[in-house]
Amino acid sequence: MTTQKQLEHLLEQQAKARLGGGQDKIDKQHAQGRLTARERIEMLLDPGSFEEFDMFKTHRCRNFGMEKSVYPGDGVVTGHGTVGGRIVYVYAQDFTVLGGSLSETMAEKICKLLDLAMKNGAPLVGLNDSGGARIQEGIESLAGFSDIFLRNVMASGVVPQISAILGPCAGGAVYSPALTDFIVMERKNSYMFLTGPKVVKSVCHEDVTVEELGGADMHSSQSGVSDYAAESTADAIAYIKRLLTFIPQNNLESAPVLPCADPVDRPSDALRTLIPDNANMAYDMKRVILETVDNGDFFEIKENFAPNLIVGFARYNGVSVGIVANQPGYLSGVLDIDSSVKGARFVRFCDCFNIPLVTFVDVPGFLPGTVQEYGGAIRNGAKILYAYAEATVPKITVITRKAYGGAYCVMSSKHLRGDINYAWPSAEVAVMGSRGAVEVLYSRQARDSGDAKAFLAEKEEEYHEAVSNPYVAAERGYIDDIIVPANTRARIIKALALTRNKRDQNPAKKHGNIPL
Ligand code: HXC
């Protein structure tokens, strides 16, 4: 029989563990506007659903007086619960315990979660707030980090992995989040970098603030390391919860299908007049997305990084899809290094987790110039090409206007196993724009004509009539149908229904060699 005394002892031990590094450390955390590990977990999970593992596990370090700094559970809270009724494994580093620094014991706790997440097929969410490797432990801590990295890699493509950065994340510690599928960073309180401003100053003679070097805004707009810069912990956690609604639990399942009240055949007359008469004028591709998806509800990923390509999740008739779309409203929607990498990573995530892809195309080509070429535009542009080519999920494509050159091939074309490829009547499928084409073809004749400008204008008109339309591609079957823009939603929903049971395979191999 369990005695009353034993029960009281258990409650005492639990209460002690829940205090982490102590009330004074909790107060300090709160004074800085930061929540504790357990408060963050409570915010993420359905009320009352959290069950903790390894609450009494302690570190084994006896160096540097560490035997006097032993805290039950050590510097990370781990366990599982539900988000919207679906199981999620979660860990939250506890900054109140030795700055959340990673001990061998903490690594074991996180590895246990990753093993369970993989075995049982449920996502892992990591809430990071840590001073990095526990300095007193040295190699044990480094070994622990490496054990986590290995499992992050093994879990990649098996279960979704999501990281929130809610405090410091520096040194090699950044690589665990970097190996996960999505990173959300909290503005002001969080940063990620390999070495801090002091080392940067001494090695590179650069003066830089923590925020400039590794803040949420920088990583969400310049480096592309982070998918979202959250205003607060609550905002970061709300983002993760919403993200989870669009994705399946693991690579053997499909994302949940939600009931849809938005009529499947709802026409959108606004789409008829969206494309400007002048082919060189911009418009906002997000309007096409918002007009066609269920209830105008679009969840954008990496909104502030490479905005010339839009990626994110939405639903058509309740079915979760990944949307990739050129944005003519930014740099004319051109593909460059950053947008290619952004698109490739997103396409590969969707393909890992059985999420169909819907691609909206209006792209004038790849961005030329030395900056791009020196930066490896060839190597990086090949990534999005590779990603679309290897993807076996349903791929639905709508060309709204330009689909020029190599960028036509890349953007989910028929040739890369696009399943259903539509074009609007305004589509121009060509090797390049009319002006560029006639300048290459007729420069000598233009010079000889006496009025080069008029000659080229006439030839441009001719070329446009002959080539820059969707009919030549449709004649060859590279476009399955030319559709009325207002009916785009209905046609995408039909195409998704048609491809719902699609099964496609790549040749057996150890793994491909995506250009890196
Ligand atoms: C042990 C650490 C620690 C660490 C912080 N603490 N980092 N203990 N190992 N890495 C302890 C502090 O001693 C302090 O203990 C408590 O955590 C809170 O730290 P403070 O410095 O008081 O907090 P704050 O002023 O907010 O500064 C936070 C910080 C700073 C910026 C993270 O603590 C810091 O610079 N820490 C060292 C970071 C670092 O160099 N880590 C190693 C990176 S290399 P008390 O008892 O006073 O409360 C690395 C390699 C990983 O991580 C490689 C993986 C492959």
Side-chain angles (χ1 to χ4, degrees), residues 25 28 32 34 95 98-99 101 130-136 142 145 149 168 170-173 191:
K25 293 278 168 31
K28 192 174 166 198
Q32 292 172 340
R34 294 154 71 190
F95 196 83
L98 298 160
S101 57
S130 164
R134 186 164 295 168
I135 293 164
Q136 295 90 334
L142 297 185
F145 263 122
F149 299 158
Y191 54 84

Side-chain angles (χ1 to χ4, degrees), residues 284-302:
D284 185 2
M285 185 64 97
K286 270 186 209 168
R287 286 206 50 208
V288 180
I289 299 170
L290 296 177
E291 286 286 334
T292 60
V293 300
D294 290 356
N295 309 310
D297 186 16
F298 177 53
F299 181 64
E300 192 166 354
I301 305 288
K302 284 199 193 334

Side-chain angles (χ1 to χ4, degrees), residues 8-28:
E8 279 166 14
H9 181 68
L10 172 63
L11 291 177
E12 267 170 34
Q13 293 303 309
Q14 286 173 336
K16 193 171 159 206
R18 287 200 186 98
L19 271 184
Q23 192 59 49
D24 54 332
K25 293 278 168 31
I26 293 175
D27 294 343
K28 192 174 166 198

Side-chain angles (χ1 to χ4, degrees), residues 13 54 66-67 90 113 150 169 196 206 212 274 282 322 330 334 364 402 412 415 420 441 491 513:
Q13 293 303 309
D54 296 330
M66 282 294 282
E67 65 280 358
V90 61
L113 273 199
L150 175 71
C169 186
E206 282 177 36
E212 288 164 346
L274 184 67
Y330 189 88
V334 76
K402 298 171 191 170
S412 201
H415 321 280
I420 307 287
L441 293 177
R491 300 299 295 265
N513 189 12

Side-chain angles (χ1 to χ4, degrees), residues 275-276 279 281-283 285 308 325-329 332-334 359-365 398-404 411:
I275 307 284
M281 274 182 64
Y283 63 96
M285 185 64 97
N308 36 329
N326 308 114
Q327 171 58 291
S332 307
V334 76
T359 304
F360 294 102
V361 183
D362 186 346
V363 59
V398 181
I399 303 174
T400 58
R401 190 171 61 175
K402 298 171 191 170
Y404 289 170
M411 293 301 296

